[in-house]
């Protein structure tokens, strides 16, 4: 155990991210951060994974999205409170380190890194499949290699180049979903000129077996299917450390999370289940968004959606590599990873952290092609519940960090969690409930995901405690390590 942590110079002085003193540079502009925050909640999973949720819960999937969306809003509020007070490239891992102890920061940091490098392989393969369908002369593994190399090069140039790519990737996603909601909404209310929308109407919400055709329990099953499509909303708090005004960036992204989820998730899914009956076979065959566009008689709907999904995949890859490398950088800075991870170029780029992340991503891609049903399936399942672990750690970190900030620097509480501590405890209880419910889910692989993720988490925790025992660290010793890393 460590002594009560405090807000030290290593966290707020010259060593703070965004300051030239720590190696990273403030290369992200306000427009970059704004679009990263907006695009962060729009993952490829929204486009390709929503059809299974609709098939399971019917129109009631809206309640599943609303429940998970509320959970994400609450977790982001907690993270925003801590990150606005102490912007850092390690985000929740660094906060857990200070609030709960080095074991917590080490464990959740490495688990989060593991999650994103596996995501790199998943998204690279998904993007390669789309590109191969367009240009079959290049094999799928070749496209995966090309995509990974290009985005690695982008991240190696500067943080500004990452921000610029993400600005345009996210911009395309935002415009596409915005256009989909407007066009689909007009069709639902029968005012879209020239559209073939005979099936469209609000009656689709209740006319085919009711709003909950498969019963109330399907809402919880829907939660399990959609929860992982929300991962990525926390990226803005990591990126804020390399922005011109970290505190402002975190505050803005935290305050806007409600409308972003309401519009992009609830708005677009509402349009889908209003345009078509939830049990229309085309939703499962083509995917929910393609089926919705097809129902309006829009030509080349499949290719349009493939382009949007490809953009989302590239955005996820770009952000995934950035996020994994910055978490590795933070771990290296705190002595929880090789020191080389904390070294940066003159442009503020942590080259070793990026290379290590992309190498593991390449290895995972290889496993996906060579051993898709064994090694790669294990990697995917064993990282699947990490999102919920991260959110749970954020809850417990915020419970303690609020007291620390109030005691040391109350003026830094520019973002406050609502109804503290009661709503924080309620959020943590809901996350535990979702994890518990997943253990009962054998149909959608929920049990395997939780058990394998817990196994990996247990291994990382053992390593963390062994590491602490060997070094014999104390709370004051940890502060010294942080100060040395900042220098």
């Amino acid at each position: 155990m460590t002594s009560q942590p405090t807000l030290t110079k290593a966290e707020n002085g010259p060593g703070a991210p965004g300051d030239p003193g720590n190696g990273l540079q403030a290369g992200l502009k306000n427009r970059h951060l704004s679009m990263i925050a907006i695009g962060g909640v729009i993952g490829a999973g929204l486009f390709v994974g929503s059809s299974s949720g609709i098939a399971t819960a019917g129109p009631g999937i809206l309640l599943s999205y609303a429940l998970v969306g509320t959970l994400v809003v609450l977790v982001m509020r907690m993270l925003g409170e801590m990150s606005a007070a102490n912007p850092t490239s390690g985000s929740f891992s660094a906060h857990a380190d200070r609030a709960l102890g080095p074991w917590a920061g080490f464990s959740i940091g490495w688990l989060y890194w593991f999650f994103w490098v596996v995501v790199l392989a998943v998204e690279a393969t998904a993007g390669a499949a789309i590109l191969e369908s367009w240009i079959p002369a290049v094999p799928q593994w070749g496209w995966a290699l090309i995509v990974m190399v290009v985005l690695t090069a982008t991240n190696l140039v500067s943080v500004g180049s990452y921000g610029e790519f993400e600005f345009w990737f996210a911009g395309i996603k935002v415009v596409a979903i915005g256009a989909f909601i407007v066009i689909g909404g007009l069709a639902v209310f029968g005012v879209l000129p020239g559209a073939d929308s005979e099936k469209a109407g609000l009656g689709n919400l209740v006319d085919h077996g009711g709003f909950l055709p498969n019963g109330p329990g399907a809402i919880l099953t829907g939660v399990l299917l959609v929860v992982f499509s929300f991962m990525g909303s926390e990226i803005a708090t990591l990126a804020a450390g390399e922005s011109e005004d970290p505190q402002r960036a975190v505050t803005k992204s935290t305050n806007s999370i409600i409308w972003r989820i309401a519009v992009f998730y609830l708005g677009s899914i509402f349009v889908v289940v209003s345009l078509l009956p939830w049990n229309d076979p085309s939703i499962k065959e083509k995917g929910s968004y393609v089926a919705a566009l097809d129902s309006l008689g829009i030509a080349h709907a499949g290719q349009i959606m493939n382009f949007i999904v490809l953009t989302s995949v590239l955005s996820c890859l770009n952000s995934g590599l950035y996020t994994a490398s910055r978490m590795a950088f933070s771990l290296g800075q705190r002595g929880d990873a090789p020191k080389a991870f904390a070294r940066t170029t003159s442009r503020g780029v942590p080259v070793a952290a990026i290379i290590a992340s992309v190498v593991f991503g390449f290895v995972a891609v290889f496993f996906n092609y060579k051993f898709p049903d064994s090694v790669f399936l294990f990697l995917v399942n064993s990282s699947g519940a990490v999102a919920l672990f991260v959110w749970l750690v954020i809850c417990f970190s915020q419970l303690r960090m609020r007291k620390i900030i109030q005691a040391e620097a109350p003026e830094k509480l520019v973002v406050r969690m609502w109804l503290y501590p009661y709503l924080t405890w309620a959020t943590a209880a809901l996350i535990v409930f979702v994890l518990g419910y997943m253990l009962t889910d054998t149909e959608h692989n929920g049990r395997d995901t939780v058990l394998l993720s817990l196994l990996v988490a247990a291994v990382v925790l053992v390593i963390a405690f062994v590491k602490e025992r060997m070094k014999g660290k104390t709370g004051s010793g940890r502060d010294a390590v942080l100060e040395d890393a900042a220098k």
Side-chain angles (χ1 to χ4, degrees), residues 428-474:
L430 181 57
I431 295 170
V432 171
F433 173 77
V434 171
L435 284 167
Y437 189 77
M438 286 180 72
L439 288 172
T440 69
D441 175 46
T442 54
E443 184 180 352
H444 302 100
N445 224 24
R447 177 181 294 174
D448 289 345
T449 296
V450 172
L451 291 177
L452 288 174
S453 296
L454 283 172
L455 173 63
V456 172
V459 170
V460 176
L461 275 170
V462 168
I463 295 172
F465 282 118
V466 169
K467 174 178 173 292
E468 286 303 300
R469 193 174 185 85
M470 287 175 65
K471 290 194 174 183
K473 288 182 179 177
T474 62

Side-chain angles (χ1 to χ4, degrees), residues 184-224:
L186 292 174
V188 168
F189 292 102
V191 292
L192 182 65
D196 178 18
S197 53
E198 294 179 1
K199 296 181 179 179
L202 295 179
N204 285 325
L205 298 175
V206 293
D207 287 347
H208 306 277
F211 185 68
L212 295 171
N214 295 324
I219 297 173
L220 288 176
T221 305
V223 166
L224 306 186

